[in-house]
């Protein structure tokens, strides 16, 4: 398997190193051959050469079997240039139309939610990943004047909504509880989320064994805090998915543990820790690499190496449960020591 590696900026490179060590440990144990091709993308390259994502790099990344992605964003680069030019462009260009984000509180990990433990927080968010408010539709008129108008349009195609919802039902059908919640805002977004609701009902009629629920996004936020045990699979649009998955990361112990997958089930998928570059703690050797390692586990699972993926996930869960905290600087060990622990467990 050929894996394209984009360490990127900030904490990206240091957590990717650990993720690759764990992939190597899994490869040794499960007899896989993994080849890595590194790509230099991110703030340093942009500042050096003015290039964000050269076409030949995009082309090369379209021809690997999977991508391990760290993080991009740089203090000296205007916000959005790298994020839109690299992450969002890759998601769209590679048609990674699903962003799959498990929200799982591992046994032994403290949640900031009082009285909740691993029995209460175990769901997965299926986020539409190429449309909605992320398409960049809209514009300015009279920019910089008192009459300025700025619009930002949410684009929702039936095709995009349907494939996302269908994917989410498949995920739900494969889980123990078989429960799915559509997260929208039908009381206000009367066009886009009317479409989401109709497609949800339509696709749902093909899945008799899956129990369906609907909740507005604001209520979803409250329930994720008050009663996260309600949720099994949540399907939602791009923007709401972005927001609720950071909340999800917080209730599962923080961005240090939260992994995600940008999936094109028929093409090249990309796996990443969902947190950003963490410039304040990058380079200290105290970052938690478990999110990136978890993403590596998802890479194995979604490329068909399910036993190896499960071994990595189990190891991540065990190490996470044994750490005093999942926060950078509070783990009681260094980034590479956490990587060592996971490697030991995966190798065993
Ligand atoms: C994420 C990130 C990205 C997003 C940013 C960096 C463009 O927040 O993966 O959730 O908004 O999708
Ligand atoms: Mn986000």
């Amino acid at each position: 398997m050929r894996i394209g590696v984009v360490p990127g900026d900030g904490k990206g490179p240091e957590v990717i190193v650990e993720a690759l060590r764990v992939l190597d440990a899994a490869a040794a144990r499960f007899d896989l051959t993994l080849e890595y091709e590194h790509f230099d993308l991110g703030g340093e390259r942009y500042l050096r050469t003015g290039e964000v994502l050269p076409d030949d790099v995009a082309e090369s990344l379209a021809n690997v079997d999977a991508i391990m992605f760290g993080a991009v964003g740089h203090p000296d680069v205007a916000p959005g240039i790298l994020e839109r030019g690299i992450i969002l462009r890759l998601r769209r260009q590679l048609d990674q139309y699903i962003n799959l984000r498990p929200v799982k509180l591992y046994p032994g990990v403290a949640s900031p939610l009082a009285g909740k433990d691993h029995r209460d927080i175990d769901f997965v968010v299926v986020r539409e990943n190429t449309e909605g408010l992320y398409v960049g539709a809209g514009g300015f008129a009279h920019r910089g004047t008192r009459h300025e108008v700025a619009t930002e349009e949410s684009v929702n195609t039936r095709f995009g909504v349907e494939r996302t919802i269908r994917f989410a039902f498949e995920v739900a059908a494969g889980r123990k509880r078989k429960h799915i919640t559509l997260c929208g805002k039908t009381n206000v977004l009367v066009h886009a989320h009317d479409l989401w609701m109709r497609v949800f009902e339509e696709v749902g009629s093909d899945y008799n064994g899956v129990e369906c629920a609907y909740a507005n996004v604001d209520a979803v936020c409250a329930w994720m805090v008050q009663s996260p045990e309600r949720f099994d699979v949540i399907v939602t649009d791009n923007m709401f998915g972005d927001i609720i998955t950071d909340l999800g990361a917080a209730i599962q112990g923080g961005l240090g543990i939260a992994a995600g997958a940008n999936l094109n089930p028929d093409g090249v998928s990309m796996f990443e820790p969902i947190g950003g570059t963490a410039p304040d703690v990058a380079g200290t050797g105290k970052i938690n690499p478990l999110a990136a390692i978890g993403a590596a586990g998802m890479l194995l699972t979604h490329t068909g190496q399910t036993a190896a993926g499960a071994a990595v996930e189990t190891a991540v869960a065990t190490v996470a449960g044994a750490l005093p905290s999942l926060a950078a600087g509070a783990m009681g060990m260094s980034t590479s020591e956490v990587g060592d622990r996971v490697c030991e467990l995966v190798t065993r």
Side-chain angles (χ1 to χ4, degrees):
M1 177 154 61
R2 287 177 51 239
I3 300 175
V5 182
V6 181
D9 300 315
K11 75 163 190 341
E14 42 197 305
V15 298
I16 287 295
V17 166
E18 303 307 320
L20 300 190
R21 286 176 59 215
V22 172
L23 282 174
D24 284 337
R29 157 120 174 248
F30 293 91
D31 206 17
L32 315 172
T33 308
L34 305 180
E35 283 169 24
Y36 306 109
E37 193 178 342
H38 277 73
F39 296 91
D40 169 27
L41 294 174
E44 299 299 334
R45 178 172 186 161
Y46 176 69
L47 292 170
R48 210 170 56 237
T49 68
E51 294 166 308
V52 178
L53 176 55
D55 289 341
D56 63 313
V57 174
E59 182 61 29
S60 301
L61 285 169
N63 286 297
V64 296
D65 294 306
I67 300 168
M68 256 324 289
F69 192 91
V72 293
H74 194 285
D76 301 334
V77 180
I81 294 184
L82 302 166
E83 294 88 334
R84 279 183 288 109
I86 301 174
I87 308 183
L88 301 188
R89 182 170 158 208
L90 283 173
R91 286 176 182 168
R92 260 201 308 272
Q93 200 152 315
L94 300 176
D95 201 19
Q96 293 162 343
Y97 61 91
I98 298 295
N99 199 322
L100 190 67
R101 298 188 161 182
V103 179
K104 191 165 178 166
L105 180 68
Y106 292 120
V109 174
S111 171
L113 305 183
K116 300 294 178 189
D117 66 20
H118 66 276
R119 288 163 299 196
D120 304 303
I121 303 177
D122 182 4
F123 59 93
V124 41
V125 177
V126 176
R127 163 186 175 189
E128 197 291 318
N129 209 33
T130 60
E131 300 191 342
L133 280 167
Y134 278 69
V135 302
F140 296 109
H142 315 296
R143 188 163 188 273
T145 73
R146 284 176 52 234
H147 304 285
E148 175 158 358
V149 178
T151 59
E152 203 77 51
E153 292 166 16
S154 176
V155 172
N156 298 258
T157 67
R158 171 170 269 273
F159 175 75
V161 172
E162 185 173 340
R163 63 183 180 172
T164 303
I165 288 178
R166 198 165 285 282
F167 184 95
F169 269 98
E170 286 293 326
V171 173
R175 286 172 64 93
K176 208 161 117 247
R177 266 186 68 197
K178 306 191 193 312
H179 184 280
I180 186 169
T181 305
L182 171 64
C183 166
K185 188 73 186 175
T186 49
N187 51 352
V188 174
L189 306 180
V190 294
H191 309 113
H193 286 192
D194 181 75
L195 173 63
W196 276 80
M197 182 59 102
R198 280 183 282 120
V199 173
F200 185 66
E201 283 168 354
E202 230 174 83
V203 173
S205 68
D206 293 344
Y207 293 84
N208 283 326
V210 176
E211 195 187 336
C212 300
Y214 171 80
N216 288 324
V217 62
D218 44 356
V220 167
C221 289
W223 288 338
M224 276 174 69
V225 172
Q226 290 172 340
S227 46
E229 63 280 0
R230 271 174 193 268
F231 299 118
D232 183 27
V233 174
I234 298 177
V235 61
T236 192
D237 75 11
N238 208 342
M239 188 82 256
F240 290 171
D242 177 48
I243 297 166
I244 69 170
T245 53
D246 262 34
L247 179 54
I251 65 169
Q252 72 181 122
L255 288 164
I257 187 79
N262 301 275
L263 299 178
N264 175 342
D266 311 306
V268 182
S269 299
M270 178 163 78
F271 302 83
E272 58 178 346
I274 83 168
T277 52
D280 47 330
V281 273
T284 58
K286 292 178 177 166
I287 301 263
N288 188 344
L290 289 175
I293 296 171
M298 293 182 84
L299 182 153
L300 292 168
T301 300
H302 289 276
T303 51
Q305 304 301 332
T306 45
V312 172
E313 203 210 322
T314 304
V316 167
T318 305
V319 174
L323 292 173
S325 161
L326 297 179
M331 300 185 295
M333 57 175 90
S334 69
T335 304
S336 64
E337 284 166 341
V338 174
D340 290 343
R341 296 288 162 92
V342 179
C343 286
E344 280 162 29
L345 292 172
V346 167
T347 304
R348 213 170 265 168

